[in-house]
Each structure stands twice: as structure tokens, then as C-alpha cells.
Amino acid sequence: MGEVGMLLRGWRDTRRMSQLDLSGRSGVSTRHLSFVETGRSRPTRQMLLRLAEELDVPLRARNELLLAGGYAPAYPESALDGPPLADVLSALRNLLTGYGPNPAVLVDRHWTMVDGNAAVALFTEGCAPELLAPPVNVLRLALHPAGMAPRIGNLAEWRTHLLHQLDRQAAATSDPVLRELRAELAGYPGGEVDARPGGLVVPLRFDDLNMFSMTSVLGTPRDVTLSELAIEAFLPADAATATALGRRMAGSSHGPWAG
């Protein structure tokens, strides 16, 4: 079995899709799919892109598929501080500011903080300096006993939510770094709870604040770096929290996050 065939088979297994299912969606015969996966046939560039689209393969992994098949990558991977992404990053930073007085962060595929608004200082106050030294991983910051964890009133519930979220993300992307991060976070104290319905959203009870999170991603990225960015915003779950956030930030001397 060739490398490209192994990669395709791996993604098909990850998506729990049979050759027949993928054949019906992509228009590629099951016989041809079998030949590609076993290395008996070399797929065309167009076929690889079509199969990757049907398998919902992340852009980074699509480039890996193409390289394994002997083709040039289809998607650029621009530096965060480079000119190609400047306008988009500027718009995303404006969005972070617009979320104020609610905390909001921009993170990459491994939950490393790229930027954050001034309200993030509410979360970072009192955290160990080593957790705030770049690169800052926001999940480590949240669950580490020297980070936000002691101030989270429903730590077991929030920790369970974050670990399940990492499980889903690792399964969707097959990213070993996320699996390692998940194993690290699982080793921190805090407990877990059984997943159960109740309430409208999973809350984050931080000090006297009651919030919920919302994740936003770009809808039509064509660049690997942009496809892996997300904004995680924390919004008030009740009127008292909305008022408290407004008052705290109005009286805060913290400037914008400089991560």
C-alpha cells in the first residue's frame, strides 16, 4: 500500500465511511478506490481533491495527501505576521475588540493564543507567570491548578466540557499534538462529571461571573493558517454578569492583551 493510499484509508476510517459510501459521494468507483488505497493505481490530483472534500479533510492534511500523491500543495500556508494575512488578521482583531467588555481570544489549531482583547485580563489575573509566557495555551491556562482552575466554581463540569471538546477535535483532525494536550490536561486535578442534559448551555462559573462560550471560525478559508484560527468568546449568561463585566472593565487599567 502506497503512502497516499494509507492516508486516504486512514481518513475514510476516521470518518467511519465505507468505500461504497465514499464512492457514492465522490463519483469514484469502489474498484478504483480500492486500487488507490492498495497502491495499485495512482490517483489524479483532481481525484485527491474531490475525495478530500467528501471526507472533510482539513486543508493542512489535504496538502499532505497531495504531496504523498506526488503533487504540489493546493493551499498556501501563510505566516501570521506576513502581508498576505494582514487584512484578515486586522479584521479579526477588530472583532475581538468589539466583543468587549466580554473576554475573547483568537487561537490557533492547538489552542495557542494568537491575540486577545483587554477583558482577557479578568481571566489571567493571579495566574502563574510561566503559564502566561508566550506561547500561551488557553486550555492549559484554564485547567492548570496554578492557572484559572481555582477560581472556576464548576471546575469538574467545565473540565469535562473542555476534554470532550478536545476529544472531538483530535478525532476530526487526527492531530497527535491535540491528543498529547488532552492527555496532559486529563492529568490535572479537578474531576469530571457524567455528560447529562440540563440547562441551555454548559456554563463557566468564574468568580462571581456566569458565562457561556461561543466559537467562531472563518466560513470559506483557502489558506491553511486561516482555516485553523478560531475566536473563543465568553458571553454573559445572565444580566448580573453583563453588568459586572461592564463595571469591571470600565474600572480596569489593563490594556489590550499583548500575547
Side-chain angles (χ1 to χ4, degrees), residues 13 32-33 44 50 56 60 65 89 107 115 129 142 171 179 244:
D13 288 345
H32 199 169
L33 280 175
T44 65
R50 184 162 72 249
D56 194 25
R60 179 179 297 277
L65 272 174
L89 266 293
V107 297
D115 208 340
R179 294 194 179 98

Side-chain angles (χ1 to χ4, degrees), residues 27 31-32 35 45 48 54 94 103 105 118 126 153 180 185 231 252 255:
R31 177 183 174 85
H32 199 169
F35 280 10
R45 176 184 174 88
L48 283 176
E54 295 302 329
N94 287 339
V105 293
E180 291 173 4
L185 300 184
I231 287 180
S252 173

Side-chain angles (χ1 to χ4, degrees), residues 65-77:
L65 272 174
L66 289 170
L67 286 170
Y71 304 106
Y75 304 95
E77 182 178 356

Side-chain angles (χ1 to χ4, degrees), residues 101 122 208-209 239-253:
L122 298 173
D208 59 338
L209 304 174
T241 297
T243 299
L245 283 171
R247 287 176 177 170
R248 288 191 185 198
M249 291 313 299
S252 173
S253 60

Side-chain angles (χ1 to χ4, degrees), residues 48-57 62 75 222:
L48 283 176
L49 289 172
R50 184 162 72 249
L51 293 173
E53 179 71 24
E54 295 302 329
L55 289 168
D56 194 25
V57 176
R62 295 187 194 194
Y75 304 95
R222 302 294 291 177

Side-chain angles (χ1 to χ4, degrees), residues 14-250:
T14 295
R15 298 297 185 248
R16 294 181 172 84
M17 195 180 298
S18 68
Q19 286 185 346
L20 184 60
D21 292 333
L22 183 56
S23 173
R25 295 188 183 192
S26 66
V28 178
S29 71
T30 54
R31 177 183 174 85
H32 199 169
L33 280 175
S34 178
F35 280 10
V36 168
E37 289 188 0
T38 57
R40 297 174 62 186
S41 178
R42 180 173 183 261
T44 65
R45 176 184 174 88
Q46 182 180 4
M47 179 187 296
L48 283 176
L49 289 172
R50 184 162 72 249
L51 293 173
E53 179 71 24
E54 295 302 329
L55 289 168
D56 194 25
V57 176
L59 299 192
R60 179 179 297 277
R62 295 187 194 194
N63 280 346
E64 293 171 355
L65 272 174
L66 289 170
L67 286 170
Y71 304 106
Y75 304 95
E77 182 178 356
S78 304
L80 276 170
D81 57 355
L85 303 189
D87 289 340
V88 177
L89 266 293
S90 177
L92 292 177
R93 289 185 168 107
N94 287 339
L95 187 57
L96 290 177
T97 301
Y99 270 114
N102 309 308
V105 293
L106 178 66
V107 297
D108 67 11
R109 64 188 173 125
H110 295 145
W111 292 88
T112 302
M113 184 185 291
V114 175
D115 208 340
N117 63 13
V120 173
L122 298 173
F123 288 158
T124 60
E125 184 178 2
C127 293
E130 59 269 24
L131 294 175
L132 301 177
V136 177
N137 185 280
V138 299
L139 298 187
R140 181 179 296 117
L141 181 67
L143 297 184
H144 196 285
M148 294 169 54
R151 299 168 64 188
I152 297 177
N154 62 328
L155 179 58
E157 182 179 30
W158 189 248
R159 183 174 179 274
T160 299
H161 161 67
L162 292 184
L163 292 178
H164 286 178
Q165 189 172 1
L166 258 183
D167 283 336
R168 292 192 297 270
Q169 187 179 356
T173 61
S174 295
D175 191 327
V177 175
L178 292 177
R179 294 194 179 98
E180 291 173 4
L181 178 61
R182 202 275 185 198
E184 176 192 337
L185 300 184
Y188 295 159
E192 293 185 53
V193 297
D194 293 331
R196 59 185 184 275
L200 299 176
V201 293
V202 177
L204 170 62
R205 306 191 193 283
F206 187 77
D207 290 343
D208 59 338
L209 304 174
N210 185 24
M211 295 172 281
F212 64 92
S213 66
M214 183 176 72
T215 304
S216 304
V217 297
L218 292 173
T220 54
R222 302 294 291 177
D223 180 276
V224 172
T225 303
L226 289 180
S227 73
E228 296 171 344
L229 294 179
I231 287 180
E232 193 81 5
F234 295 84
L235 306 177
D238 53 47
T241 297
T243 299
L245 283 171
R247 287 176 177 170
R248 288 191 185 198
M249 291 313 299

